[in-house]
Structures are given as structure tokens and as C-alpha cells.
């Protein structure tokens, strides 16, 4: 099961981390964020996947797939 | 042993991730980076520690301690 999340602000990155940490792939849709917030979430996600040797793929301009 | 690192650019965040992933505490000194790059490294580090339920503490304005 892939968890689909569409964060509405920077703090909601915690949900992304929460499901990823549980071992679920997360499809992160950043369409509702400003350019700056979107960049922050991508940097957070980069650290998240690095820590667990997972992968981060950009599937569309504002859509990223994190895999544990 | 605490690993002390002073990244010179964004790419060197990989060293931070490398030692942290090995289970070492990392003291990350961002003094040599621009404000924007420093922010990116902090977001990356936030994701890194979140993935492993570690901690991130700001010990000085540009100095952060990551603990696994």
C-alpha cells in the first residue's frame, strides 16, 4: 500500500515521516505548498530516505515517491 | 566518539548522513555556508534524525548536534 499525502504546510511533513518510518512507501504531493515550503519538504524527505537507504523519485513536478 | 563536520557546500551533507547512518553522533558546523544552504542542511538533518527517532539540537547559532 502506498500512502498518498498532500501536505498543506511545512508541519505536515511529520505525517510523511510518520508513515515512511513505519515502512510504507509515501507519495508526497506538494501542489498546495509555496515554492519555499516545497523545497524544505524535499530536503527533509532527502534526509529521511538517506537515513534508511531508501529512494526518493520525482514522478512529476510537484509529486515525489519515497520508498523505504 | 562525536564526529565533527564542517560542510563546505550542500553536497557535503552526504558526509553528515554517512556518519549518522553508521550510528555516530555528528556535530555539524554550518559556519562556512550561506544562509540558504545552511537552511537546506538543517532540513536534511531534520529528516535524517526523524527517520531514526534520533534528536537534533541547536547548540549554537550555526552549530547542530545530531544524535542517533
Amino acid at each position: 500500500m502506498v500512502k498518498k499525502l498532500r501536505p498543506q504546510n511545512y508541519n505536515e511533513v511529520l505525517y510523511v515521516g510518520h508513515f515512511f518510518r513505519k515502512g510504507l512507501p509515501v507519495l508526497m504531493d506538494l501542489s498546495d505548498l509555496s515554492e519555499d515550503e516545497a523545497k524544505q519538504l524535499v530536503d527533509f524527505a532527502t534526509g529521511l530516505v538517506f537515513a534508511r537507504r531508501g529512494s526518493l523519485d520525482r514522478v512529476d513536478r510537484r509529486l515525489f515517491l519515497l520508498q523505504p
Side-chain angles (χ1 to χ4, degrees), chain A:
Chain A
M1 193 192 78
V2 175
K3 187 73 187 176
K4 292 182 202 167
L5 293 171
R6 190 166 173 151
Q8 299 301 302
N9 56 59
Y10 180 73
N11 290 335
E12 293 193 9
V13 78
L14 295 182
Y15 296 112
V16 176
H18 173 74
F19 289 104
F20 181 80
R21 206 163 60 178
K22 285 174 88 168
L24 295 177
V26 176
L27 195 58
M28 178 173 80
D29 182 348
L30 304 180
S31 305
D32 296 337
L33 300 181
S34 69
E35 198 73 31
D36 279 356
E37 281 176 321
K39 277 182 189 161
Q40 282 195 281
L41 261 75
V42 171
D43 287 322
F44 177 90
T46 304
L48 202 58
V49 303
F50 191 92
R52 297 182 70 125
R53 299 179 188 273
S55 66
L56 176 65
D57 293 293
R58 188 170 205 160
V59 292
D60 199 355
R61 201 176 66 85
R62 288 294 195 110
L63 193 64
F64 295 82
L65 177 62
L66 291 74
Q67 294 185 88

